[in-house]
Amino acid sequence: MRRYLFSTGLLSAVVGGITLLRALRSDESFTWRTALAWLSWGISISLAIGAVVDTRRARRGRLIDSDSPVAPKAKKLYKSRLDRSLR
């Protein structure tokens, strides 16, 4: 589980969210730039969680979409899983 929780994409998205929360504490008004920053953060966290889910699925030998960033490694992961199960 640590492998998934401490992935670099997920950690950077969480740190970005903390930075945005700190910006909300200031007395500045909410502008369109702030809204875009929150939208960007939401997309980043979604992509990071999706990569973690795809990695977990690939390690368990399940199929993943070909547009996933894990797809090139999925064949290696699937092969190693198959080799372990045959032992």
Side-chain angles (χ1 to χ4, degrees), residues 18-28 38:
I18 291 170
T19 304
L20 286 173
L21 284 174
R22 285 184 183 171
L24 281 179
R25 288 185 176 176
S26 66
D27 293 332
E28 295 181 27
W38 278 104

Side-chain angles (χ1 to χ4, degrees), residues 30-72:
F30 192 83
T31 64
W32 63 272
R33 289 185 181 111
T34 309
L36 286 179
W38 278 104
L39 179 67
S40 173
W41 176 77
I43 292 170
S44 297
I45 198 85
S46 299
L47 289 173
I49 291 171
V52 167
V53 168
D54 284 347
T55 302
R56 187 167 190 250
R57 284 182 183 163
R59 286 197 179 273
R60 292 181 175 220
R62 295 186 184 151
L63 295 176
I64 59 171
D65 293 330
S66 60
D67 65 344
S68 171
V70 183

Side-chain angles (χ1 to χ4, degrees), residues 67-82:
D67 65 344
S68 171
V70 183
K73 298 177 187 177
K75 289 183 183 178
K76 290 181 186 178
L77 294 172
Y78 182 71
K79 184 180 177 188
S80 68
R81 171 106 173 133
L82 186 63

Side-chain angles (χ1 to χ4, degrees), residues 8 10-11 53 55 81 83:
T8 56
L10 197 57
L11 282 177
V53 168
T55 302
R81 171 106 173 133
D83 290 343

